[in-house]
Coordinates of all heavy atoms in Angstrom, one line a residue:
M341 N 49.5 -21.7 -88.6 CA 48.1 -22.1 -88.8 C 47.2 -21.9 -87.7 O 46.1 -21.5 -87.8 CB 48.2 -23.6 -89.2 CG 46.8 -24.2 -89.5 SD 46.2 -23.5 -91.0 CE 44.7 -24.5 -91.2
E342 N 47.7 -22.1 -86.4 CA 46.9 -21.9 -85.2 C 46.5 -20.4 -85.1 O 45.3 -20.2 -84.7 CB 47.7 -22.3 -84.0 CG 46.8 -22.3 -82.8 CD 47.6 -22.9 -81.6 OE1 48.2 -24.0 -81.7 OE2 47.5 -22.3 -80.5
A343 N 47.3 -19.5 -85.4 CA 47.0 -18.1 -85.3 C 45.9 -17.7 -86.3 O 45.0 -17.0 -86.0 CB 48.2 -17.2 -85.6
T344 N 45.9 -18.3 -87.5 CA 44.9 -18.0 -88.5 C 43.6 -18.6 -88.1 O 42.5 -17.9 -88.2 CB 45.3 -18.7 -89.9 OG1 46.6 -18.2 -90.2 CG2 44.3 -18.3 -90.9
L345 N 43.6 -19.8 -87.5 CA 42.4 -20.4 -87.0 C 41.8 -19.6 -85.9 O 40.6 -19.3 -85.8 CB 42.6 -21.8 -86.6 CG 41.5 -22.6 -86.0 CD1 40.4 -22.7 -87.1 CD2 41.9 -24.0 -85.6
H346 N 42.6 -19.1 -85.0 CA 42.2 -18.3 -83.8 C 41.5 -17.0 -84.4 O 40.5 -16.6 -83.9 CB 43.3 -18.0 -82.9 CG 43.0 -17.1 -81.7 ND1 42.2 -17.6 -80.7 CD2 43.3 -15.8 -81.5 CE1 42.0 -16.6 -79.9 NE2 42.7 -15.5 -80.3
Y347 N 42.2 -16.4 -85.3 CA 41.6 -15.2 -85.9 C 40.3 -15.4 -86.6 O 39.3 -14.6 -86.4 CB 42.6 -14.6 -86.9 CG 42.1 -13.4 -87.7 CD1 42.0 -12.1 -87.1 CD2 41.6 -13.5 -89.0 CE1 41.4 -11.0 -87.7 CE2 41.1 -12.4 -89.7 CZ 41.0 -11.2 -89.0 OH 40.5 -10.1 -89.7
A348 N 40.2 -16.5 -87.3 CA 38.9 -16.8 -88.0 C 37.8 -17.1 -87.0 O 36.7 -16.6 -87.2 CB 39.1 -18.0 -88.9
I349 N 38.0 -17.8 -86.0 CA 37.0 -18.0 -84.9 C 36.6 -16.7 -84.3 O 35.4 -16.5 -84.1 CB 37.5 -19.0 -83.9 CG1 37.7 -20.4 -84.5 CG2 36.6 -19.1 -82.7 CD1 38.4 -21.4 -83.7
H350 N 37.6 -15.9 -84.0 CA 37.3 -14.6 -83.4 C 36.4 -13.7 -84.3 O 35.4 -13.1 -83.8 CB 38.6 -13.8 -83.1 CG 38.4 -12.4 -82.6 ND1 37.9 -12.2 -81.3 CD2 38.6 -11.2 -83.2 CE1 37.9 -10.8 -81.2 NE2 38.2 -10.3 -82.3
R351 N 36.7 -13.7 -85.6 CA 35.9 -12.9 -86.6 C 34.5 -13.5 -86.7 O 33.5 -12.8 -86.8 CB 36.5 -12.9 -87.9 CG 37.8 -12.1 -88.0 CD 37.5 -10.6 -87.8 NE 36.7 -10.1 -89.0 CZ 35.8 -9.1 -89.0 NH1 35.7 -8.4 -87.9 NH2 35.2 -8.8 -90.0
I352 N 34.3 -14.8 -86.7 CA 33.0 -15.4 -86.8 C 32.2 -15.1 -85.6 O 31.0 -14.7 -85.7 CB 33.1 -17.0 -86.9 CG1 33.7 -17.3 -88.3 CG2 31.8 -17.6 -86.7 CD1 34.0 -18.8 -88.4
V353 N 32.7 -15.1 -84.4 CA 32.0 -14.7 -83.2 C 31.6 -13.3 -83.2 O 30.5 -12.9 -82.9 CB 32.8 -15.1 -81.9 CG1 32.2 -14.5 -80.7 CG2 33.0 -16.6 -81.8
E354 N 32.6 -12.4 -83.7 CA 32.3 -11.0 -83.7 C 31.2 -10.7 -84.7 O 30.3 -9.9 -84.4 CB 33.6 -10.3 -84.2 CG 33.5 -8.8 -84.3 CD 34.8 -8.1 -84.7 OE1 35.8 -8.8 -84.7 OE2 34.7 -7.0 -85.1
L355 N 31.2 -11.3 -85.9 CA 30.1 -11.1 -86.8 C 28.8 -11.7 -86.4 O 27.7 -11.0 -86.6 CB 30.5 -11.7 -88.2 CG 31.6 -11.0 -88.9 CD1 32.1 -11.9 -90.1 CD2 31.3 -9.6 -89.3
E356 N 28.8 -12.8 -85.7 CA 27.6 -13.4 -85.2 C 27.0 -12.4 -84.1 O 25.7 -12.2 -84.1 CB 27.8 -14.7 -84.5 CG 26.6 -15.4 -84.0 CD 26.8 -16.7 -83.3 OE1 27.3 -16.7 -82.2 OE2 26.5 -17.7 -84.0
N357 N 27.8 -11.8 -83.3 CA 27.3 -10.9 -82.3 C 26.7 -9.6 -83.0 O 25.7 -9.1 -82.4 CB 28.4 -10.4 -81.3 CG 28.8 -11.6 -80.4 OD1 27.9 -12.4 -80.1 ND2 30.0 -11.5 -79.9
L358 N 27.2 -9.2 -84.1 CA 26.6 -8.1 -84.8 C 25.3 -8.5 -85.5 O 24.3 -7.7 -85.4 CB 27.6 -7.6 -85.9 CG 28.8 -6.9 -85.4 CD1 29.8 -6.6 -86.6 CD2 28.4 -5.6 -84.7
L359 N 25.2 -9.6 -86.1 CA 24.1 -10.1 -86.8 C 23.0 -10.6 -85.9 O 21.8 -10.5 -86.2 CB 24.4 -11.1 -87.9 CG 25.3 -10.6 -89.0 CD1 25.8 -11.7 -89.9 CD2 24.6 -9.5 -89.8
L360 N 23.4 -11.2 -84.8 CA 22.4 -11.9 -83.9 C 22.6 -11.3 -82.5 O 23.1 -11.9 -81.6 CB 22.7 -13.4 -83.9 CG 22.6 -14.1 -85.2 CD1 23.0 -15.5 -85.1 CD2 21.1 -14.1 -85.7
P361 N 22.0 -10.1 -82.3 CA 22.2 -9.4 -81.0 C 21.4 -10.2 -79.9 O 20.4 -10.9 -80.2 CB 21.6 -8.1 -81.2 CG 20.6 -8.3 -82.3 CD 21.2 -9.3 -83.2
D362 N 21.9 -10.1 -78.7 CA 21.2 -10.7 -77.6 C 20.1 -9.8 -77.2 O 20.2 -8.6 -76.9 CB 22.2 -10.8 -76.4 CG 21.6 -11.6 -75.2 OD1 20.7 -12.5 -75.5 OD2 21.9 -11.3 -74.1
V363 N 18.9 -10.4 -77.3 CA 17.7 -9.6 -77.1 C 17.0 -10.1 -75.8 O 16.6 -11.3 -75.8 CB 16.7 -9.7 -78.3 CG1 15.4 -8.9 -78.1 CG2 17.4 -9.3 -79.6
P364 N 16.8 -9.2 -74.9 CA 16.1 -9.7 -73.6 C 14.6 -9.9 -73.9 O 14.1 -9.5 -74.9 CB 16.3 -8.5 -72.7 CG 16.5 -7.3 -73.6 CD 17.2 -7.8 -74.8
E365 N 14.0 -10.6 -72.9 CA 12.5 -10.7 -73.0 C 11.9 -9.4 -73.1 O 12.3 -8.5 -72.3 CB 12.0 -11.5 -71.8 CG 12.5 -12.9 -71.6 CD 11.7 -13.9 -72.5 OE1 10.6 -13.6 -72.9 OE2 12.3 -14.9 -72.8
T366 N 10.9 -9.2 -73.9 CA 10.2 -7.9 -74.0 C 8.8 -8.1 -74.5 O 8.5 -9.2 -75.0 CB 11.0 -7.0 -75.0 OG1 10.4 -5.7 -74.9 CG2 11.0 -7.5 -76.4
V367 N 8.0 -7.1 -74.4 CA 6.7 -7.2 -75.0 C 6.7 -6.4 -76.3 O 7.1 -5.2 -76.4 CB 5.6 -6.5 -74.0 CG1 4.3 -6.4 -74.7 CG2 5.6 -7.2 -72.7
W368 N 6.4 -7.1 -77.4 CA 6.5 -6.5 -78.7 C 5.2 -5.9 -79.1 O 4.1 -6.4 -78.8 CB 6.9 -7.6 -79.7 CG 8.2 -8.2 -79.4 CD1 8.4 -9.4 -78.8 CD2 9.5 -7.7 -79.7 NE1 9.8 -9.6 -78.7 CE2 10.4 -8.6 -79.2 CE3 9.9 -6.5 -80.3 CZ2 11.8 -8.4 -79.3 CZ3 11.3 -6.3 -80.3 CH2 12.2 -7.2 -79.9
P369 N 5.3 -4.8 -79.9 CA 4.0 -4.1 -80.4 C 3.3 -5.1 -81.3 O 3.8 -6.0 -81.9 CB 4.5 -2.9 -81.2 CG 5.9 -2.7 -80.7 CD 6.5 -4.0 -80.3
A370 N 2.0 -4.9 -81.4 CA 1.1 -5.8 -82.2 C 1.6 -5.9 -83.7 O 1.5 -6.9 -84.3 CB -0.3 -5.3 -82.1
E371 N 2.1 -4.8 -84.2 CA 2.5 -4.8 -85.6 C 3.7 -5.8 -85.8 O 3.7 -6.5 -86.8 CB 3.0 -3.4 -86.0 CG 1.9 -2.3 -86.0 CD 1.8 -1.6 -84.7 OE1 2.3 -2.1 -83.7 OE2 1.0 -0.6 -84.6
I372 N 4.5 -5.8 -84.8 CA 5.7 -6.7 -84.9 C 5.2 -8.2 -84.8 O 5.7 -9.1 -85.6 CB 6.7 -6.5 -83.8 CG1 7.1 -5.0 -83.8 CG2 7.9 -7.4 -83.9 CD1 7.6 -4.4 -85.1
E373 N 4.3 -8.4 -83.9 CA 3.7 -9.8 -83.8 C 3.0 -10.2 -85.1 O 3.1 -11.4 -85.5 CB 2.7 -9.9 -82.6 CG 3.4 -9.7 -81.3 CD 4.3 -10.8 -80.9 OE1 4.3 -11.9 -81.5 OE2 5.1 -10.6 -79.9
V374 N 2.3 -9.3 -85.7 CA 1.6 -9.7 -87.0 C 2.6 -10.1 -88.1 O 2.4 -11.1 -88.7 CB 0.7 -8.5 -87.5 CG1 0.2 -8.7 -88.9 CG2 -0.5 -8.3 -86.5
V375 N 3.6 -9.3 -88.3 CA 4.6 -9.6 -89.3 C 5.3 -10.9 -88.9 O 5.5 -11.8 -89.8 CB 5.6 -8.5 -89.4 CG1 6.8 -8.9 -90.4 CG2 5.0 -7.2 -90.0
F376 N 5.7 -11.0 -87.6 CA 6.3 -12.3 -87.2 C 5.5 -13.5 -87.5 O 6.0 -14.5 -87.9 CB 6.6 -12.1 -85.7 CG 7.3 -13.3 -85.0 CD1 8.6 -13.6 -85.2 CD2 6.6 -14.2 -84.3 CE1 9.2 -14.7 -84.7 CE2 7.2 -15.3 -83.7 CZ 8.5 -15.5 -83.9
S377 N 4.2 -13.4 -87.2 CA 3.3 -14.6 -87.4 C 3.2 -14.9 -88.9 O 2.8 -16.0 -89.2 CB 1.9 -14.3 -86.8 OG 1.3 -13.3 -87.6
Q378 N 3.5 -14.0 -89.8 CA 3.4 -14.3 -91.2 C 4.7 -14.7 -91.9 O 4.8 -14.9 -93.1 CB 3.0 -13.0 -92.0 CG 1.6 -12.5 -91.6 CD 1.2 -11.2 -92.2 OE1 2.0 -10.6 -92.9 NE2 0.0 -10.8 -92.0
C379 N 5.7 -15.0 -91.0 CA 7.0 -15.4 -91.5 C 7.1 -16.9 -91.8 O 8.2 -17.3 -92.2 CB 8.1 -15.0 -90.5 SG 8.3 -13.2 -90.5
G380 N 6.1 -17.7 -91.5 CA 6.2 -19.1 -91.8 C 6.3 -19.8 -90.4 O 5.7 -19.5 -89.4
D381 N 7.1 -20.9 -90.4 CA 7.2 -21.8 -89.3 C 8.1 -21.3 -88.2 O 9.1 -21.9 -87.8 CB 7.6 -23.2 -89.7 CG 6.6 -23.9 -90.6 OD1 5.4 -23.6 -90.5 OD2 7.1 -24.7 -91.5
V382 N 7.7 -20.1 -87.6 CA 8.6 -19.5 -86.6 C 8.6 -20.2 -85.3 O 9.5 -20.1 -84.5 CB 8.2 -18.0 -86.4 CG1 8.6 -17.2 -87.6 CG2 6.7 -17.9 -86.1
D383 N 7.6 -21.0 -85.1 CA 7.5 -21.8 -83.9 C 8.5 -22.9 -83.8 O 8.9 -23.4 -82.7 CB 6.1 -22.5 -83.7 CG 5.0 -21.4 -83.5 OD1 5.3 -20.3 -83.0 OD2 3.8 -21.7 -83.8
L384 N 9.1 -23.3 -85.0 CA 10.2 -24.3 -85.0 C 11.5 -23.7 -84.6 O 12.4 -24.5 -84.3 CB 10.3 -24.9 -86.4 CG 9.0 -25.5 -86.9 CD1 9.2 -26.0 -88.4 CD2 8.6 -26.7 -86.0
L385 N 11.6 -22.4 -84.5 CA 12.9 -21.8 -84.1 C 13.0 -21.8 -82.6 O 12.0 -21.7 -81.9 CB 12.9 -20.3 -84.6 CG 13.0 -20.0 -86.1 CD1 12.9 -18.5 -86.3 CD2 14.3 -20.5 -86.6
P386 N 14.3 -21.9 -82.1 CA 14.5 -21.8 -80.7 C 14.0 -20.4 -80.2 O 14.0 -19.4 -81.0 CB 16.0 -21.9 -80.5 CG 16.5 -22.6 -81.8 CD 15.5 -22.2 -82.8
V387 N 13.7 -20.3 -79.0 CA 13.2 -19.0 -78.4 C 14.1 -17.8 -78.6 O 13.7 -16.7 -79.0 CB 12.8 -19.2 -76.9 CG1 12.4 -17.8 -76.3 CG2 11.7 -20.2 -76.7
H388 N 15.4 -18.1 -78.5 CA 16.4 -17.0 -78.6 C 16.4 -16.5 -80.1 O 16.6 -15.3 -80.3 CB 17.8 -17.3 -78.1 CG 18.4 -18.4 -78.9 ND1 18.2 -19.7 -78.7 CD2 19.4 -18.4 -79.8 CE1 18.9 -20.5 -79.5 NE2 19.7 -19.7 -80.2
H389 N 16.2 -17.4 -81.0 CA 16.1 -17.0 -82.4 C 14.8 -16.2 -82.7 O 14.8 -15.3 -83.5 CB 16.3 -18.1 -83.4 CG 17.7 -18.6 -83.6 ND1 18.8 -17.8 -83.5 CD2 18.1 -19.9 -83.8 CE1 19.8 -18.6 -83.8 NE2 19.5 -19.8 -83.9
Q390 N 13.8 -16.6 -82.1 CA 12.5 -15.9 -82.2 C 12.6 -14.5 -81.7 O 12.1 -13.6 -82.4 CB 11.4 -16.6 -81.5 CG 11.0 -18.0 -82.1 CD 9.9 -18.7 -81.3 OE1 9.0 -18.0 -80.7 NE2 9.8 -20.0 -81.4
R391 N 13.2 -14.3 -80.6 CA 13.4 -12.9 -80.1 C 14.3 -12.1 -81.0 O 14.0 -10.9 -81.2 CB 14.0 -13.0 -78.7 CG 13.1 -13.4 -77.6 CD 13.6 -13.1 -76.2 NE 14.9 -13.6 -75.9 CZ 15.2 -14.8 -75.3 NH1 14.2 -15.5 -74.8 NH2 16.4 -15.1 -75.1
R392 N 15.3 -12.7 -81.5 CA 16.2 -12.0 -82.5 C 15.5 -11.6 -83.7 O 15.7 -10.5 -84.3 CB 17.4 -12.8 -82.8 CG 18.4 -13.0 -81.6 CD 19.5 -13.9 -81.9 NE 20.5 -13.9 -80.9 CZ 21.4 -14.9 -80.6 NH1 21.4 -15.9 -81.5 NH2 22.2 -14.8 -79.6
L393 N 14.6 -12.5 -84.2 CA 13.9 -12.2 -85.4 C 12.9 -11.0 -85.2 O 12.8 -10.1 -86.0 CB 13.1 -13.4 -85.9 CG 12.3 -13.3 -87.2 CD1 13.2 -12.8 -88.3 CD2 11.6 -14.6 -87.5
K394 N 12.2 -11.1 -84.0 CA 11.4 -10.0 -83.7 C 12.1 -8.7 -83.5 O 11.7 -7.6 -83.9 CB 10.6 -10.3 -82.4 CG 9.5 -11.3 -82.5 CD 8.8 -11.6 -81.2 CE 7.8 -12.7 -81.3 NZ 7.2 -13.0 -80.1
H395 N 13.3 -8.7 -83.0 CA 14.2 -7.6 -82.8 C 14.5 -7.0 -84.2 O 14.4 -5.7 -84.4 CB 15.5 -7.9 -82.1 CG 16.5 -6.9 -82.2 ND1 16.5 -5.8 -81.4 CD2 17.6 -6.8 -83.0 CE1 17.6 -5.0 -81.7 NE2 18.3 -5.6 -82.7
H396 N 14.8 -7.8 -85.2 CA 15.2 -7.3 -86.5 C 13.9 -6.7 -87.2 O 14.0 -5.7 -87.9 CB 15.8 -8.4 -87.4 CG 17.2 -8.7 -87.0 ND1 18.2 -7.8 -87.1 CD2 17.7 -9.8 -86.4 CE1 19.3 -8.4 -86.6 NE2 19.1 -9.6 -86.2
I397 N 12.8 -7.4 -87.0 CA 11.5 -6.8 -87.6 C 11.2 -5.5 -87.0 O 10.9 -4.5 -87.7 CB 10.3 -7.8 -87.3 CG1 10.5 -9.1 -88.1 CG2 9.0 -7.2 -87.7 CD1 9.6 -10.2 -87.7
N398 N 11.4 -5.4 -85.7 CA 11.1 -4.1 -85.0 C 12.1 -3.0 -85.5 O 11.6 -1.9 -85.7 CB 11.3 -4.3 -83.5 CG 10.8 -3.1 -82.7 OD1 9.7 -2.6 -82.9 ND2 11.7 -2.6 -81.8
R399 N 13.3 -3.3 -85.7 CA 14.3 -2.3 -86.2 C 13.9 -1.8 -87.6 O 13.9 -0.6 -87.9 CB 15.7 -2.9 -86.3 CG 16.4 -3.1 -85.0 CD 16.6 -1.9 -84.1 NE 16.8 -0.7 -84.8 CZ 16.5 0.5 -84.3 NH1 15.9 0.6 -83.2 NH2 16.7 1.6 -85.0
M400 N 13.5 -2.8 -88.4 CA 13.0 -2.4 -89.8 C 11.7 -1.5 -89.7 O 11.6 -0.5 -90.4 CB 12.8 -3.6 -90.7 CG 14.1 -4.3 -91.1 SD 13.9 -5.6 -92.2 CE 13.4 -7.0 -91.1
W401 N 10.8 -1.9 -88.8 CA 9.6 -1.1 -88.6 C 9.9 0.3 -88.2 O 9.3 1.3 -88.7 CB 8.7 -1.8 -87.6 CG 7.3 -1.3 -87.5 CD1 6.9 -0.2 -86.8 CD2 6.2 -1.7 -88.3 NE1 5.6 0.0 -87.0 CE2 5.1 -0.8 -88.0 CE3 6.0 -2.7 -89.3 CZ2 3.9 -1.0 -88.6 CZ3 4.8 -2.8 -89.9 CH2 3.7 -2.0 -89.5
L402 N 10.8 0.4 -87.2 CA 11.2 1.8 -86.7 C 11.9 2.6 -87.8 O 11.8 3.8 -87.8 CB 12.1 1.6 -85.5 CG 11.4 1.1 -84.2 CD1 12.4 0.9 -83.1 CD2 10.3 2.0 -83.8
D403 N 12.6 1.9 -88.7 CA 13.3 2.6 -89.8 C 12.3 2.9 -91.0 O 12.8 3.3 -92.0 CB 14.5 1.8 -90.3 CG 15.6 1.7 -89.3 OD1 15.7 2.6 -88.4 OD2 16.4 0.8 -89.4
K404 N 11.0 2.6 -90.7 CA 10.0 2.9 -91.7 C 10.2 2.1 -93.1 O 9.9 2.6 -94.1 CB 9.8 4.4 -91.9 CG 9.5 5.1 -90.7 CD 9.0 6.5 -90.9 CE 8.7 7.3 -89.7 NZ 8.2 6.7 -88.6
V405 N 10.7 0.9 -93.0 CA 10.8 0.0 -94.1 C 9.4 -0.4 -94.5 O 8.6 -0.7 -93.6 CB 11.7 -1.2 -93.9 CG1 11.7 -2.1 -95.0 CG2 13.1 -0.7 -93.5
P406 N 9.0 -0.4 -95.8 CA 7.6 -0.9 -96.1 C 7.3 -2.3 -95.6 O 8.2 -3.2 -95.7 CB 7.6 -0.8 -97.6 CG 8.7 0.1 -98.0 CD 9.7 0.0 -96.9
A407 N 6.1 -2.5 -95.2 CA 5.7 -3.8 -94.6 C 6.1 -5.0 -95.5 O 6.6 -6.0 -95.0 CB 4.3 -3.8 -94.2
P408 N 5.8 -5.0 -96.8 CA 6.1 -6.1 -97.7 C 7.6 -6.4 -97.7 O 8.0 -7.6 -97.7 CB 5.6 -5.7 -99.1 CG 4.5 -4.7 -98.8 CD 5.0 -3.9 -97.6
S409 N 8.4 -5.4 -97.7 CA 9.9 -5.6 -97.6 C 10.3 -6.2 -96.3 O 11.2 -7.0 -96.3 CB 10.6 -4.2 -97.9 OG 10.3 -3.7 -99.1
I410 N 9.7 -5.7 -95.2 CA 10.0 -6.3 -93.9 C 9.7 -7.8 -93.9 O 10.5 -8.6 -93.4 CB 9.2 -5.6 -92.8 CG1 9.7 -4.1 -92.6 CG2 9.4 -6.3 -91.5 CD1 8.9 -3.3 -91.6
L411 N 8.5 -8.1 -94.4 CA 8.1 -9.5 -94.5 C 9.1 -10.4 -95.3 O 9.5 -11.5 -94.9 CB 6.7 -9.7 -95.0 CG 6.0 -11.0 -94.9 CD1 6.1 -11.6 -93.5 CD2 4.6 -11.0 -95.4
T412 N 9.5 -9.9 -96.4 CA 10.4 -10.6 -97.3 C 11.7 -10.8 -96.6 O 12.3 -11.9 -96.6 CB 10.6 -9.8 -98.6 OG1 9.4 -9.7 -99.3 CG2 11.6 -10.5 -99.5
A413 N 12.3 -9.7 -96.0 CA 13.5 -9.9 -95.2 C 13.4 -10.8 -94.0 O 14.3 -11.6 -93.8 CB 14.0 -8.5 -94.8
A414 N 12.3 -10.7 -93.3 CA 12.1 -11.5 -92.1 C 12.0 -13.0 -92.5 O 12.5 -13.9 -91.8 CB 10.9 -11.1 -91.4
R415 N 11.3 -13.3 -93.6 CA 11.2 -14.7 -94.1 C 12.6 -15.2 -94.4 O 13.0 -16.4 -94.1 CB 10.3 -14.8 -95.3 CG 8.8 -14.7 -94.9 CD 7.9 -14.8 -96.0 NE 6.5 -14.8 -95.6 CZ 5.5 -14.5 -96.4 NH1 5.8 -14.2 -97.7 NH2 4.3 -14.5 -96.0
S416 N 13.4 -14.4 -95.1 CA 14.7 -14.8 -95.5 C 15.6 -15.0 -94.2 O 16.4 -16.0 -94.2 CB 15.4 -13.7 -96.4 OG 16.7 -14.1 -96.7
L417 N 15.5 -14.2 -93.3 CA 16.2 -14.3 -92.1 C 15.8 -15.5 -91.3 O 16.6 -16.3 -90.7 CB 16.1 -13.1 -91.2 CG 16.9 -13.0 -89.9 CD1 18.4 -13.1 -90.2 CD2 16.6 -11.6 -89.2
R418 N 14.5 -15.8 -91.3 CA 14.0 -17.0 -90.6 C 14.6 -18.3 -91.2 O 15.1 -19.2 -90.5 CB 12.5 -17.1 -90.7 CG 12.0 -18.4 -90.0 CD 10.6 -18.8 -90.4 NE 10.2 -18.7 -91.8 CZ 10.4 -19.7 -92.7 NH1 10.9 -20.8 -92.3 NH2 10.0 -19.5 -93.9
E419 N 14.7 -18.3 -92.6 CA 15.2 -19.5 -93.2 C 16.7 -19.6 -92.9 O 17.2 -20.8 -92.7 CB 15.1 -19.3 -94.8 CG 13.6 -19.4 -95.2 CD 13.4 -19.1 -96.7 OE1 14.4 -18.9 -97.4 OE2 12.3 -19.1 -97.1
A420 N 17.4 -18.5 -92.8 CA 18.8 -18.6 -92.4 C 19.0 -19.1 -91.0 O 19.9 -19.9 -90.7 CB 19.5 -17.2 -92.6
M421 N 18.1 -18.6 -90.1 CA 18.2 -19.0 -88.7 C 17.9 -20.5 -88.5 O 18.4 -21.1 -87.6 CB 17.2 -18.1 -87.9 CG 17.7 -16.7 -87.6 SD 16.5 -15.8 -86.7 CE 17.4 -14.4 -86.1
E422 N 17.0 -21.0 -89.4 CA 16.7 -22.4 -89.3 C 17.9 -23.3 -89.4 O 18.0 -24.4 -88.8 CB 15.6 -22.8 -90.3 CG 14.2 -22.4 -90.0 CD 13.2 -22.7 -91.1 OE1 13.7 -23.1 -92.2 OE2 12.0 -22.7 -90.8
K423 N 18.8 -22.9 -90.3 CA 20.1 -23.6 -90.5 C 20.9 -23.7 -89.3 O 21.7 -24.6 -89.1 CB 20.9 -23.0 -91.7 CG 20.1 -23.1 -93.0 CD 20.9 -22.4 -94.1 CE 20.2 -22.4 -95.4 NZ 20.9 -21.7 -96.4
Y424 N 20.8 -22.7 -88.4 CA 21.7 -22.6 -87.2 C 20.9 -22.9 -85.9 O 21.4 -22.7 -84.8 CB 22.3 -21.2 -87.1 CG 23.2 -21.0 -88.3 CD1 22.7 -20.1 -89.3 CD2 24.4 -21.6 -88.4 CE1 23.5 -19.9 -90.4 CE2 25.2 -21.3 -89.5 CZ 24.8 -20.5 -90.5 OH 25.5 -20.3 -91.6
A425 N 19.7 -23.4 -86.1 CA 18.8 -23.7 -84.9 C 19.3 -24.9 -84.1 O 20.0 -25.7 -84.5 CB 17.4 -23.9 -85.3

């Protein structure tokens, strides 16, 4: 049982690192800030979650995802992050 638990914890940490990358302090483009500000109550998120959300918005922007789709995904991600804040 202990080996299974150790494996499960390892996998959770591994997946969290993939989904929630460590993002250093940075200056974000205005487009990212605009989308971020439209995501809802982002000020309630811890700062590290705010940086991660901006990182994901930026990645979608660079991948040329349409703005409405970015906003929908960012709002969904914000809601998920609220659960782990």
Side-chain angles (χ1 to χ4, degrees):
M341 179 68 173
E342 188 173 314
T344 304
L345 181 60
H346 178 70
Y347 174 76
I349 291 170
H350 175 73
R351 287 294 293 154
I352 289 169
V353 170
E354 183 180 342
L355 291 172
E356 182 181 77
N357 288 334
L358 288 172
L359 295 173
L360 301 172
D362 187 29
V363 180
E365 294 279 341
T366 188
V367 176
W368 299 100
E371 296 88 350
I372 305 311
E373 293 291 347
V374 168
V375 174
F376 179 76
S377 69
Q378 295 175 357
C379 290
D381 296 328
V382 290
D383 295 336
L384 301 177
L385 292 174
V387 175
H388 65 281
H389 281 329
Q390 291 180 27
R391 286 195 307 262
R392 289 174 175 161
L393 182 56
K394 287 179 183 180
H395 168 78
H396 288 295
I397 293 169
N398 189 53
R399 290 297 331 148
M400 289 184 279
W401 190 272
L402 292 173
D403 290 340
K404 300 193 184 324
V405 175
S409 297
I410 294 174
L411 188 55
T412 300
R415 284 180 177 160
S416 176
L417 186 55
R418 178 198 45 89
E419 290 172 7
M421 287 178 164
E422 283 177 345
K423 295 178 184 176
Y424 300 102

